[in-house]
Structure formats: C-alpha cells, structure tokens
Amino acid sequence: MSTGPGAASAPAPTPHDSPADPLRRPSRASSTFSSLRIRNYRLFFLGQVVSNIGTWMQRIAQDWLVLSLTGSSAAVGITTALQFLPMLLFGLYGGVLVDRLRKRPTLLVTQTAMALTALALAALTLTGHVQVWHVYVAAFAVGLATVVDNPARQSFVSELVGPGQLQNAVSLNSANFQSARLVGPAVAGLLITGVGTGWAFLLNGLSFVAPLTGLLLMRARELHTVERAPRGKGQLREGLRYVAGRPDLIWPIVLVGFVGTFAFNFPVYLSAFADDVFDAGAGAYSMFNTLMAVGSVAGALLAARRAAPRLRLLTGAALVFGTLEIVTAASPALWMFALLMVPLGLFGMTVNVTTNTSIQMATDPAMRGRVMALYMMVFLGGSPVGAPVVGWITDTYGARVGLAAGGAVAAVAAVVIGLILARVGNLRLSVGWHRGHPRVRFVPRERREELTAAA
C-alpha cells in the first residue's frame, strides 16, 4: 500500500491520459459487481443502501412540505439553495480538512450530525409546530455537514477498494443512490398521503444507524492508506493551481457546473409539473422521481462495466441530456412526460458518473480531497445560484419554459466545452461515411489530414 503520490491509489497515466489528450482514454469491460467482493466496501455499500432510502424520503417530503406551507416553487428553490449554499461558500475549505483528516472518523461525525438534524425536523413536524423557516434552517444545517461529508465519502472509496476497483466502486455507489430513489420516493409518497411528512423525516434520521454501524465494523488494516496532507499554509491555493493546470480536470468541472446549476434542479421542475401543469399531486411527483431513478440505475450499472471513463462520453451525454430536457418540457401528456424521465435519468447519471470517476482517477491521492471538494462545490454548490433563478422562471413563465431553459444551457455548454477539449487534445471533427451511414467523430489532427488527402 504505497502512500506516495500516484502509485497504489491512482492508476498510472497512459499516453492517452495526459492533459494534452483529454478526450481519449482506454476502455475495458469489467465485472459489474466486482468491488463488492471487498469486505470493507461491502459494509459501506450496505449501510448506504439503507441511508440513501431515508435520504430520498426526506428530499421528497421536504420539497412537498415547503410547497404545502407556501404554495410557491420559488420557496422550494430557496430550500434547495440553502441546502447547497454551504458547499458553495465553504466547499474548498472542506476539501482541505478532508485531505488532513482520517476519513472514517470524519464520516462518523458528519453522518451523526445529519441524523440529529433529521430527527429534530421530525419532532417539529410531528408535533405540528413546523414552519417554513424551520425547514430552511434544517436544510442549511444538512448543507454544513455535507461540506465535509461529501468529499470525505468520495475520497474514502479509494481507500476502501484501491485503484483497480475505483471506477467500479464509484459507479456502484451511484447505482446504490439511484436504486434508493426507486424505493424512497414511493415510500415518501405513501407516508405523505397517509400519515404526513414528519414520519419520513423520522425514518430518515433512524436510517443513519446503518452506515454508522458499517463504519464501526470496518477493518482498519484492510484500508488502502493514503498519506494525509500536513497542516500548512497555502493548501487551498495549491489545490486550485493543481486543477487550473490540468485541462482534463478543469473543463469537466466547468461543464458539470453548468449542468448542475441549471439542468439538475429537478425538485423545482418536477414539483411544478406535478402541481401546476398536470394537477396530479404528490403521487405524480413521487412517480416522476421513481421513473427517473430507473434510468439512473441503468446508467450507473452500465458505467460500472467500464474500466476507464471517456471525456468524449461525458460531453456527448451532456448534449443528449440537455436536448432531452427540451423535448420533455414540450410533452403534452402526463404519461409521455413520465416515460421521458427514464432516458433523462440514464443520461444524467452518465454525466455524473463519468465526471466523478474521470476526476478521481486523474487526481493525485494527496490532492483528492481538495479536487473532489471543488467538483462537489461546483456541481452541488451551483444550486444556490440556479435554484432560485429557475424557480423564478418557473413561477413567472411556467414549468415548461423553466425546464427547456435548463436543458438549453446544458446542451450549449456541452457543445462549447467539447470543442475546447478537442482543441486541447489536438483533435479535429471528421464527417464521413461508414458502412453506408454518416459518421461524425473526433480524430487526431494527423489522421484528419490523412483522410483529407485520401479524399
């Protein structure tokens, strides 16, 4: 178990992995569930199964509670913004802390804090004393814990499985989270309509027992130890300079920033479509989230079979995702809108997993906490900016315009950044025919010149 930069915690770069060639990466098929053979990761995975179901229950219940208390999509957007505002403000400092601290004790603290927050909100709701500002405070408190919890969980995966299983484990984590989305919203919908939102908050608080138990049962000697960064000045600037000098890191982060800020605000979009466009209530909102989770699980499991991510896949998936949002916004019927949630979930998850794994696999282990914190800050922290904006657009111009605008931003960003990455990688667009069908692809500049000369 090397603790030096590179060796045992991140794959050695190949010639195609260099910053000068960011669009081309090797790809090999792997067993979909191979990382589950590792005991520590199995404990982590099983604990997250239970906790993630509770998390999705609380997300649905929280959004619906705010909408019931205020009748405003903008208020739902404010709640989302408050939950992710701490990541925007303090995310980079959280990454510095994560690089300094041991991951397992850190996660024990953050997971306990989130459990206590859920239990407090449950008590307020079940006793009938809840007000919208209570939900705002709870959302902000969860966001503060997330500042450290997110980069710690992301970087802890490499310590659980080592470099050989990192891509597979990250993909399975995403499948885990999205599989819980199949159960959590359905249970939340039943609880909301049957006994009220407070029970969803209570069950979420109790669900944290599972990951806390899993963390306590892990064998420390089987972890892939990574050298912790020493306490010192300038570590935040050091992390930013590291990312800024790597096109294969900075441009995917920029792309996911646009997508996360404007296109991933589904609590605002889906609650508005369920309540205002189709007048179908909490059951439809729960169904939309469940169907999107079906596509997300499929996308994550497909990603688990890839041994290495491709940045070409990232930009292509982001383009398709944005285009699908525009098409979905124009859906005239509830059944059509609901069915389109499946491909939306698939391509959205492809964007998410491909970005996450490409960044982790390309980052020095000593920098991973800071780089992942920057990634999470941009991806999740963009919501405080995007959620109120798309909430206002949705309230003012309608849910269809809001969703279409978010998709348009994602599609344009994918095209622009794809072209930038192609230029950095010394690639050119090639348009031709293959077996009687048109084919558009990026090829190395030298190859393009050969094709032009041959024509």
Side-chain angles (χ1 to χ4, degrees), residues 182-208:
L182 294 171
V183 180
V187 176
L190 292 173
L191 290 173
I192 292 170
T193 56
V195 294
T197 55
W199 291 97
F201 300 140
L202 176 61
L203 291 178
N204 178 47
L206 296 176
S207 73
F208 282 95

Side-chain angles (χ1 to χ4, degrees), residues 2 41 56 90 113 126 192 202 222 226 248 337 362 371 417 428:
S2 170
Y41 179 72
W56 277 112
F90 312 117
L126 291 172
I192 292 170
L202 176 61
E222 295 178 8
V226 173
D248 56 336
F337 182 88
V371 174
I417 292 174
R428 292 290 182 268

Side-chain angles (χ1 to χ4, degrees), residues 96-120:
V96 172
L97 283 175
V98 166
D99 278 338
R100 292 175 181 174
L101 300 172
R102 288 187 299 156
K103 307 300 186 296
R104 187 163 59 143
T106 300
L107 288 171
L108 285 169
V109 173
T110 57
Q111 296 277 296
T112 300
M114 288 190 281
L116 293 174
T117 302
L119 293 173

Side-chain angles (χ1 to χ4, degrees), residues 116-129:
L116 293 174
T117 302
L119 293 173
L121 189 57
L124 286 167
T125 308
L126 291 172
T127 57
H129 293 96

Side-chain angles (χ1 to χ4, degrees), residues 318-352:
L319 175 60
V320 175
F321 176 71
T323 305
L324 273 172
E325 281 202 345
I326 297 172
V327 173
T328 303
S331 299
L334 186 150
W335 67 266
M336 185 182 299
F337 182 88
L339 287 179
L340 284 169
M341 292 297 102
V342 177
L344 265 179
L346 190 151
F347 284 98
M349 181 52 55
T350 301
V351 172
N352 190 350

Side-chain angles (χ1 to χ4, degrees), residues 100-160:
R100 292 175 181 174
L101 300 172
R102 288 187 299 156
K103 307 300 186 296
R104 187 163 59 143
T106 300
L107 288 171
L108 285 169
V109 173
T110 57
Q111 296 277 296
T112 300
M114 288 190 281
L116 293 174
T117 302
L119 293 173
L121 189 57
L124 286 167
T125 308
L126 291 172
T127 57
H129 293 96
V130 70
Q131 298 177 36
V132 69
W133 71 267
H134 293 141
V135 186
Y136 288 165
V137 171
F140 188 77
V142 170
L144 284 174
T146 301
V147 166
V148 176
D149 184 80
N150 254 332
R153 273 190 299 109
Q154 298 285 340
S155 54
F156 188 48
V157 173
S158 65
E159 296 187 23
L160 290 170

